[in-house]
Amino acid sequence: MNARTLYRNAVVLAAAVLLLSTISSSAQKIAGGIGHSLALCSDNTVKSWGMNTSGQLGNGTTGGNSNVPVPVSSLTGITIIAANWEHSLALKNDGTVWAWGNNSGGQLGNGTNTFSNVPVQVSNLTGIIAIAAGWAQSYAVKNDGTVWAWGTNDVGQLGNGTFINSNIPVQVTGLTGIIAVTAGAYHAIALKNDATAWAWGSNGWGELGDGSNNNSNIPVQVFNLSNVIAISGGNYVHSLALKNDGTVWAWGLNDLGQLGNGTNNNSNVPVQVSSLSNMIAIAGGNGHSLAAKSDGTVWAWGWNYH
């Protein structure tokens, strides 16, 4: 897989999941995919805009991109939203998950590989408290602290010990006490209630942070990282963590400076982002990174081409 070519040719920079928390993930009000966007409205419905090549806008049409927000069909009671390449996710207040758009890898989780331009319910999932969308895979955290995944699994991004795609949710191996999950393009990171981080999937650039560059189809602990309160996976194969002391840590690909440590050297273990303190939120984008400070300012580093 050629990450550089794949990502730089994307139509729009991806906005990664933003986790604003102490040790829990907050309800997401907006979500950015690669080429489309979602907004959670005050009445708990969802609107979308942008590209609609695979029905990712969820309004009953395919194609016919929209440059204004359109309502996603038949979704009410939504509390969290997520999006990535050409699919979208929503969590309802009854603990169920709904998905729409591209389903080539089974990322809609409804037991088929048929694209859907309206939301379909993810099979056999209840009691969900958090969701995340990867490139062609999806993730959910249950209220019992387990993590479930579905979709493409060619580099182990489902974390169930196999490399077999699944169009229904499968449990991520060996994870308990999880309170948040985030996804990069081909890897995922989970935050545990003991403030440690665990990662699985693609690791060609060290984005799992375990000191190796070996892909893993089961979760591995991010090396020497503790007191974590928020996590974010960048779509250009890097990862971020926010610690309870307000510092930010990064690992993975660094050709564009997305690790923010004053070098362009990749790192397969966490390195501290330079000159940042009193941070309260983080987001990994498509070759760039963001952090919000307690004084209300926002800081950015990495790719600045567009």
Side-chain angles (χ1 to χ4, degrees):
M1 131 193 4
N2 187 331
R4 187 188 304 272
T5 300
L6 185 62
Y7 300 140
R8 288 183 178 173
N9 287 344
V11 177
V12 177
L13 296 180
V17 173
L18 185 65
L19 297 176
L20 298 173
S21 64
T22 51
I23 52 172
S24 63
S25 60
S26 68
Q28 215 174 303
K29 302 303 183 185
I30 54 174
I34 294 182
H36 77 292
S37 304
L38 306 176
L40 179 58
C41 302
S42 58
D43 62 357
N44 298 110
T45 62
V46 179
K47 289 188 177 181
S48 60
W49 61 96
M51 294 179 66
N52 197 31
T53 48
S54 297
Q56 61 264 46
L57 298 189
N59 68 333
T61 70
T62 301
N65 303 339
S66 181
N67 58 15
V68 295
V70 294
V72 176
S73 300
S74 304
L75 272 189
T76 59
I78 302 303
T79 59
I80 303 177
I81 50 178
N84 202 297
W85 174 45
E86 289 186 346
H87 80 291
S88 307
L89 301 173
L91 174 61
K92 288 190 74 167
N93 55 13
D94 62 2
T96 60
V97 180
W98 297 73
W100 60 97
N102 191 307
N103 198 27
S104 56
Q107 58 263 48
L108 302 191
N110 67 334
T112 78
N113 289 79
T114 304
F115 294 18
S116 181
N117 57 20
V118 295
V120 294
Q121 186 172 353
V122 177
S123 301
N124 306 319
L125 273 189
T126 57
I128 301 303
I129 60 171
I131 54 174
W135 187 264
Q137 67 278 349
S138 307
Y139 303 94
V141 180
K142 289 190 75 167
N143 55 12
D144 63 1
T146 60
V147 180
W148 296 74
W150 58 99
T152 303
N153 195 32
D154 57 321
V155 290
Q157 55 265 57
L158 299 191
N160 68 333
T162 78
F163 294 98
I164 301 168
N165 295 352
S166 180
N167 58 21
I168 58 172
V170 294
Q171 187 171 352
V172 176
T173 301
L175 284 184
T176 58
I178 300 303
I179 56 175
V181 66
T182 184
Y186 303 106
H187 75 293
I189 312 164
L191 176 59
K192 201 168 180 179
N193 56 11
D194 64 0
T196 59
W198 298 72
W200 61 97
S202 170
N203 197 31
W205 293 272
E207 59 266 39
L208 300 190
D210 68 333
S212 81
N213 289 78
N214 302 318
N215 298 344
S216 181
N217 60 14
I218 59 172
V220 293
Q221 187 170 355
V222 178
F223 178 75
N224 201 29
L225 195 64
S226 58
N227 301 316
V228 178
I229 61 172
I231 49 175
S232 184
N235 246 15
Y236 195 44
V237 288
H238 73 293
S239 307
L240 300 173
L242 174 64
K243 295 184 71 168
N244 63 2
D245 62 0
T247 60
V248 180
W249 297 72
W251 58 98
L253 186 64
N254 195 32
D255 62 333
L256 303 170
Q258 57 265 51
L259 301 191
N261 67 333
T263 79
N264 291 94
N265 301 323
N266 301 344
S267 182
N268 58 19
V269 296
V271 293
Q272 186 170 353
V273 177
S274 301
S275 306
L276 285 186
S277 60
N278 299 315
M279 295 296 148
I280 59 172
I282 52 174
N286 197 44
H288 70 296
S289 306
L290 301 169
K293 199 167 182 176
S294 57
D295 63 3
T297 59
V298 177
W299 296 72
W301 59 98
W303 193 19
N304 196 34
Y305 178 74
H306 287 293

